[in-house]
Amino acid sequence: MRSLFAKSPATDQLAQKPTNLKVLSRYVKRNALLAIIAAVLGLWALQLVFSYLSELDSLDESYTMSEAIKYIFYRSPYFLEQFIPTGALLGAVVGLGLLANKSELVVMRAAGVSVYRIVGWVLQPALLFVLLALAINQFVLPHSNQLAKEINEEDSSSLVTSVRGYWTLQPRFERSEGGDTKPDGSDILYIDYADVEGNIGEVKRWHLDNDGNLQTAVHAEGGQYIGREPIDANNSKPSEQYRYEWQLNNMTKLTINQGFDSSQAISPSDTLSLPFAPESVYLLTRKAEDLSLTQLYEHRQFMRQQGQRSLSHELAFWQKLLSPLSILSLVIVACSFVFGSLRTHSLGLRIVVALLFGLLFSYIQDLVGFVSLATGFSPLFMVLLPIIVSAVLGGYLLKRQM
């Protein structure tokens, strides 16, 4: 690319003309944008190749090459979203590094353009990738991750199981002839899958008596939502709370000490009652990484209404919400590499240091997430901690050159 300053006017007049500043701004933004795009796409393509090679070891008669390619295709948005912060860091280093190698940054500084103005120009293209990361988290990942897991589950061994879905313990009560209620043990309920339309997957329910002894076990292949009924707590006026009902399909019931009973007839025992709506069941049966930002917020509000909390979902919510700050903080660090202590070193060394710092930042993010889950400490603070540290480090290195 031909240098912008090959036929420029005197440097002492450059910063005094708004037109020249606009030209400089477009020039720096274009270089930064192209470098970030190349870095993100390069890291993304490299990850896709490694994923393809790792899937080759799993190929067999049931898991063919076409299914492996489909799996990698569905996982590709997740890989792209994961590499946007590191790609932005690397791209900013390369884009500014190329300008520094041709002494164009020196000319800008001599013309009176401040370091902070140049950093601001580089941050503007990074905002495009901020929007891209948010769009992928919100609209793409919930669907692509689910499709990828469906392929992975179909080809996994039946001997390998994983904990997923929704588990809950529900107390049961029985009503006497006089209208009074008394405890009737509890139910352990498991729902494998649910969608937003009210359909649920495999259902398992174990009924325990007041002494904790197993009385019955129920298994159903699925169910459909059939409606809701108001709960009349005091028999005098309708309650604002509802009980939601599902019709179970292909239900099998095992009663302890009374043999085995299998029935598909429609009867009251073929229904499942829950105190929350199908939309909430859908949120409860999905993993945090498979939910969009708005769905994670709805899950957080629902858990608050229930007087509970899920640290894994809270952590995922703050990680996705604050991901733009991660990208911008890494771009500030990238600028400090070019203007800071590495300004006299080669571009290759800057790239290596940027990659190492990007990997370190990613590992620290994972580490503080595990610490939050293990200790129960505030997920918001633990997510903000590496972002603040990297931004402060980048700002400090930049300030030393002022």
Side-chain angles (χ1 to χ4, degrees):
M1 181 180 298
R2 186 173 61 87
S3 172
L4 177 68
F5 303 98
K7 297 181 180 180
S8 62
T11 57
D12 57 348
Q13 301 177 1
L14 182 61
Q16 300 176 4
K17 296 183 178 181
T19 303
N20 291 335
L21 283 178
K22 291 181 179 179
V23 173
L24 282 178
S25 173
R26 290 196 298 267
Y27 182 68
V28 174
K29 292 176 186 176
R30 183 182 63 183
N31 279 271
L33 177 62
L34 293 178
I36 293 175
I37 291 176
V40 171
L41 293 180
L43 293 174
W44 186 36
L46 191 62
Q47 178 61 40
L48 292 178
V49 172
F50 288 152
S51 299
Y52 171 77
L53 295 177
S54 65
E55 292 299 318
L56 292 179
D57 295 335
S58 303
L59 296 180
D60 53 29
E61 295 181 356
S62 60
Y63 187 54
T64 62
M65 178 65 70
S66 61
E67 291 179 335
I69 294 176
K70 286 174 58 178
Y71 174 77
I72 296 174
F73 174 77
Y74 291 139
R75 289 289 288 172
S76 59
Y78 172 78
F79 298 145
L80 176 61
E81 189 270 338
Q82 290 294 305
F83 279 108
I84 283 180
T86 305
L89 169 66
L90 182 60
V93 169
V94 173
L96 287 178
L98 292 176
L99 298 180
N101 288 346
K102 294 183 288 187
S103 301
E104 292 176 341
L105 292 181
V106 176
V107 175
M108 293 183 195
R109 295 292 308 281
V113 181
S114 67
V115 171
Y116 294 127
R117 184 186 292 271
I118 298 175
V119 172
W121 291 341
V122 177
L123 287 175
Q124 293 180 35
L127 291 176
L128 298 177
F129 291 87
V130 167
L131 298 177
L132 177 61
L134 289 175
I136 292 175
N137 277 320
Q138 177 64 29
F139 302 107
V140 181
L141 287 186
H143 305 288
S144 61
N145 282 352
Q146 180 62 31
L147 293 173
K149 287 186 177 182
E150 289 176 359
I151 296 177
N152 196 23
E153 290 167 2
E154 291 176 358
D155 302 302
S156 61
S157 173
S158 60
L159 298 178
V160 179
T161 59
S162 60
V163 178
R164 61 174 189 174
Y166 173 63
W167 293 83
T168 184
L169 179 64
Q170 296 180 318
R172 286 181 56 169
F173 300 91
E174 64 176 356
R175 186 180 298 272
S176 62
E177 296 180 356
D180 299 330
T181 59
K182 61 179 182 179
D184 185 28
S186 58
D187 284 344
I188 300 176
L189 177 65
Y190 166 73
I191 302 176
D192 174 74
Y193 167 80
D195 59 26
V196 293
E197 298 178 356
N199 300 312
I200 57 177
E202 183 182 22
V203 177
K204 298 179 181 179
R205 181 168 56 189
W206 297 268
H207 174 56
L208 307 178
D209 60 17
N210 294 323
D211 296 327
N213 300 316
L214 179 63
Q215 298 296 306
T216 60
V218 174
H219 175 270
E221 296 182 0
Q224 291 80 35
Y225 177 64
I226 57 177
R228 65 180 185 179
E229 295 181 357
I231 301 176
D232 191 1
N234 52 18
N235 294 325
S236 61
K237 60 180 180 178
S239 172
E240 295 182 356
Q241 296 182 347
Y242 295 91
R243 182 168 297 278
Y244 301 85
E245 305 285 339
W246 278 261
Q247 176 65 50
L248 300 180
N249 301 326
N250 299 327
M251 192 192 77
T252 302
K253 180 179 180 181
L254 175 63
T255 303
I256 305 301
N257 297 329
Q258 295 185 14
F260 183 81
D261 176 37
S262 177
S263 175
Q264 298 184 13
I266 299 177
S267 64
S269 61
D270 291 335
T271 60
L272 171 66
S273 297
L274 293 175
F276 32 79
E279 296 81 4
S280 300
V281 180
Y282 168 78
L283 296 177
L284 292 171
T285 56
R286 300 291 296 276
K287 290 185 178 180
E289 63 182 16
D290 297 333
L291 295 176
S292 65
L293 186 60
T294 55
Q295 290 172 338
L296 286 170
Y297 177 78
E298 293 173 359
H299 183 279
R300 187 163 175 258
Q301 295 299 107
F302 174 78
M303 296 300 288
R304 282 186 174 181
Q305 294 175 1
Q306 301 296 318
Q308 302 176 5
R309 65 182 304 192
S310 172
L311 285 176
S312 60
H313 287 78
E314 289 186 24
L315 179 64
F317 172 76
W318 291 116
Q319 285 176 337
K320 293 186 178 184
L321 182 63
L322 299 178
S323 60
L325 298 182
S326 301
I327 298 173
L328 297 180
S329 68
L330 289 178
V331 172
I332 295 175
V333 172
C335 295
S336 70
F337 288 164
V338 177
F339 292 105
S341 58
L342 296 179
R343 67 187 185 278
T344 59
H345 294 80
S346 65
L347 179 60
L349 179 61
R350 296 192 195 116
I351 292 176
V352 172
V353 174
L355 283 174
L356 293 176
F357 187 88
L359 292 175
L360 177 63
F361 181 84
S362 177
Y363 293 150
I364 291 178
Q365 277 191 317
D366 294 338
L367 177 61
V368 296
F370 292 141
V371 171
S372 176
L373 294 177
T375 62
F377 199 72
S378 170
L380 172 59
F381 176 79
M382 299 304 288
V383 172
L384 277 175
L385 183 60
I387 297 175
I388 294 175
V389 171
S390 63
V392 170
L393 175 62
Y396 171 74
L397 294 177
L398 286 173
K399 189 175 181 180
R400 289 184 58 186
Q401 306 306 314
M402 298 302 295

